[in-house]
Amino acid sequence: IKKSSLINYIIFVAIIFRCIPNLIVISYILLIFLCFLGPRPLIISFFLCWLFSSLNSGIFPNGDTYKNTRFIIIFIGLFQSFHLLSKIDIKKNVNIYFYLTLFVLFVLIHSLFVSSIISISILKILLWFSLFVLLINSWIKISQKEFNRLIKNIFWIFIAIVFFSLLIINSKFAYIKNIDHFQGIINHPQHFAIMLVIFMTMIFTGFPYKFYSRKIRLLILLPLIYMLFLTNSRTGILTFVLIYLIYLMIDPTFDNIRKKYTNTTKLIFLFSILVMPLLILSFFQINTYLQVELIQNFITKSSDIQYQSLFENYGVSRGIILSESIINIKNNLWSGIGFGIGSDLNDFYLKIKSEPIFGIPYSAPIEKGNLFIAVFEELGAFGFILFILFLFICYLNIYKGSFRGLPMFCAIILLNLGEFTFFSPGSAGGLCLIFFTLVVVRKEFKF
């Protein structure tokens, strides 16, 4: 049996076993086994770990007991990812490694002196750092043939998620979290929307590949757009609209001979980043006077309370979270409150879960609506500047490469303006990080 066929068989069996209550443990054992077979199975192992922990518990057997398997996968995968790394590709991405390490070292030192719960801050940044390096190394190591197979694996798994979500579109099981917001076979409407935006960006922009003809891609996109609107995720819908408009502007300047965007594209992109958000905000402001019902329902999430603007409604839905963060920023402008620490410390303590033997925390979730506000709150002014520098270096790495992954890079950053998942190695954050690391790596993939 060829190794590639064996990997495909393991992936298929793991997915089937995850759907059977008594065999869930075997499905996770198979994910761990995949980590030893190379970069492609290692990435797909973490991808499936995201999927398995994100399934709708109203339809599939509950797998919360095995969620911590991701720690084992990250630990094993990190060591495996360093084997036979290409020195040439490492040199191309040395700036990513350097500024990533610089940022993480700052967070570690900052945690020792500032964080109110040092162990949580250190464990969170080390886990995120390990996953980031694991993925970067794997994308660098992967061969062209294995890369092609991996993208096809991910594409068809996304297709399966979409297909089975369509089957339950009128079922109560697709509205468990909220009777008005569609979640498909994923555990939360917002989470499902993030997945849909990433998949739609893949299909619409042709990154990494343009699967099938334009007509077939359009047929796939139509139900995705419909389901995205059913989720009622303002962050997801606005992100896709922005990506759509930006892509329409830059795609005509793509050089099909050299398979890369031109310098003209880069100027158009920088211009569009500034102009497009203003156009969309102006559109919503105009609707304050036009009162189009469809748009009004979108702004208010079909609420009976009709507010006057998008800003007011965003303030209503995120007001408490944002106000707590802003107060913390004012009180701790330079020092911050500590990496991965909740805005309300008393409430945060109640959410911490630790293993019983050594008391090591393994879960300490936080809810913050905006990536940049959260980083400023947690790391202070200096940490915020360093993080912006790291993102800029990531952008430069795309700039020096083909620039093909630019729309996906923008999509992930825009999603994090409304749903802060960037530093979360589990749930939607893990999915975003897989694609974020792909787009920032400089490697001569034949897209």
Side-chain angles (χ1 to χ4, degrees):
I1 300 176
K2 290 183 179 180
K3 184 179 178 181
S4 59
S5 300
L6 175 63
I7 292 167
N8 288 336
Y9 178 75
I10 294 173
I11 292 170
F12 178 75
V13 172
I15 293 173
I16 296 299
F17 282 9
R18 173 60 181 84
C19 302
I20 304 172
N22 296 331
L23 299 179
I24 295 178
V25 63
I26 300 178
S27 71
Y28 278 95
I29 290 173
L30 290 174
L31 296 191
I32 295 172
F33 178 70
L34 282 172
C35 295
F36 295 94
L37 300 180
R40 173 199 162 205
L42 177 53
I43 295 173
I44 202 69
S45 172
F46 188 77
F47 180 81
L48 289 176
C49 190
W50 157 76
L51 176 61
F52 289 0
S53 64
S54 305
L55 290 173
N56 188 331
S57 59
I59 303 171
F60 299 93
N62 194 311
D64 287 348
T65 307
Y66 308 101
K67 276 187 176 181
N68 293 332
T69 305
R70 72 178 185 273
F71 299 131
I72 301 173
I73 292 173
I74 293 173
F75 179 77
I76 295 173
L78 181 63
F79 287 97
Q80 291 291 323
S81 70
F82 280 100
H83 181 59
L84 298 176
L85 268 177
S86 167
K87 293 181 180 179
I88 295 174
D89 286 326
I90 290 176
K91 287 181 181 179
K92 289 180 181 178
N93 296 281
V94 69
N95 54 347
I96 293 288
Y97 284 106
F98 176 77
Y99 284 96
L100 172 66
T101 305
L102 183 65
F103 173 70
V104 171
L105 284 175
F106 173 86
V107 175
L108 288 173
I109 296 170
H110 178 272
S111 300
L112 291 173
F113 290 97
V114 175
S115 178
S116 54
I117 313 176
I118 297 174
S119 59
I120 286 179
S121 294
I122 289 178
L123 287 172
K124 277 190 174 185
I125 190 61
L126 287 180
L127 185 65
W128 178 81
F129 177 61
S130 299
L131 178 57
F132 201 102
V133 173
L134 178 164
L135 292 170
I136 287 285
N137 290 351
S138 298
W139 290 123
I140 288 175
K141 282 176 58 178
I142 197 167
S143 66
Q144 183 68 51
K145 185 180 291 185
E146 287 295 285
F147 178 75
N148 297 345
R149 288 170 177 160
L150 173 62
I151 298 304
K152 286 179 181 178
N153 289 149
I154 292 174
F155 177 84
W156 283 108
I157 291 172
F158 275 149
I159 287 290
I161 295 171
V162 169
F163 175 74
F164 288 110
S165 295
L166 279 172
L167 291 181
I168 62 167
I169 204 162
N170 293 318
S171 168
K172 64 178 181 179
F173 294 107
Y175 300 86
I176 292 175
K177 284 289 181 182
N178 190 306
I179 60 173
D180 296 318
H181 302 160
F182 181 67
Q183 66 186 81
I185 66 168
I186 300 299
N187 58 9
H188 197 285
Q190 299 289 353
H191 191 162
F192 187 50
I194 290 173
M195 188 227 81
L196 286 174
V197 169
I198 289 175
F199 188 33
M200 290 161 74
T201 305
M202 280 182 67
I203 295 173
F204 184 76
T205 64
F207 177 82
Y209 292 109
K210 288 187 176 180
F211 289 93
Y212 306 112
S213 66
R214 185 184 296 271
K215 291 181 180 179
I216 293 176
R217 293 203 309 273
L218 180 61
L219 287 175
I220 297 173
L221 269 175
L222 290 176
L224 296 181
I225 294 171
Y226 177 60
M227 285 191 288
L228 181 61
F229 274 93
L230 287 181
T231 65
N232 227 330
S233 169
R234 290 172 298 199
T235 300
I237 295 170
L238 285 174
T239 295
F240 181 70
V241 170
L242 279 172
I243 295 302
Y244 177 81
L245 293 174
I246 290 172
Y247 182 73
L248 284 180
M249 292 182 66
I250 67 175
D251 189 54
T253 64
F254 183 75
D255 189 332
N256 287 298
I257 297 175
R258 293 184 296 169
K259 298 298 180 184
K260 63 187 297 183
Y261 285 110
T262 63
N263 288 329
T264 304
T265 306
K266 296 162 187 178
L267 292 174
I268 293 174
F269 165 71
L270 292 174
F271 175 75
S272 63
I273 283 290
L274 298 174
V275 172
M276 288 301 175
L278 294 176
L279 290 177
I280 291 179
L281 290 173
S282 299
F283 174 73
F284 282 113
Q285 288 300 107
I286 292 172
N287 187 65
T288 302
Y289 304 99
L290 297 179
Q291 297 292 317
V292 178
E293 185 177 355
L294 176 66
I295 301 172
Q296 205 64 21
N297 288 339
F298 167 68
I299 294 174
T300 63
K301 288 199 170 185
S302 303
S303 171
D304 293 331
I305 303 173
Q306 300 293 312
Y307 298 97
Q308 292 188 358
S309 71
L310 183 66
F311 295 106
E312 287 179 312
N313 281 280
Y314 183 79
V316 169
S317 63
R318 292 291 184 181
I320 297 175
I321 299 173
L322 289 176
S323 62
E324 288 178 344
S325 295
I326 291 170
I327 290 171
N328 284 331
I329 290 173
K330 290 179 179 178
N331 295 335
N332 307 275
L333 179 64
W334 301 106
S335 64
I337 63 173
F339 182 79
I341 303 299
S343 300
D344 185 341
L345 201 56
N346 294 325
D347 181 59
F348 181 63
Y349 274 118
L350 299 175
K351 296 178 180 179
I352 299 172
K353 296 179 182 178
S354 303
E355 54 85 24
I357 300 175
F358 300 102
I360 299 174
Y362 63 86
S363 177
I366 56 175
E367 185 179 359
K368 297 181 182 181
N370 185 286
L371 167 65
F372 298 106
I373 292 176
V375 171
F376 206 142
E377 176 194 11
E378 294 176 8
L379 299 180
F382 294 115
F384 177 75
I385 293 170
L386 196 56
F387 176 68
I388 295 297
L389 177 62
F390 168 68
L391 286 184
F392 181 67
I393 295 300
C394 290
Y395 168 78
L396 287 182
N397 232 38
I398 305 173
Y399 183 89
K400 293 174 183 176
S402 71
F403 224 52
R404 191 67 182 267
L406 179 65
M408 184 65 77
F409 175 84
C410 294
I412 292 170
I413 297 299
L414 288 170
L415 284 170
N416 273 272
L417 296 182
E419 299 292 336
F420 174 46
T421 62
F422 192 82
F423 290 105
S424 173
S427 193
L431 176 64
C432 289
L433 205 57
I434 290 172
F435 286 91
F436 185 84
T437 51
L438 168 60
V439 299
V440 301
V441 165
R442 286 184 63 199
K443 185 177 173 72
E444 301 304 320
F445 290 124
K446 294 178 182 178
F447 294 123

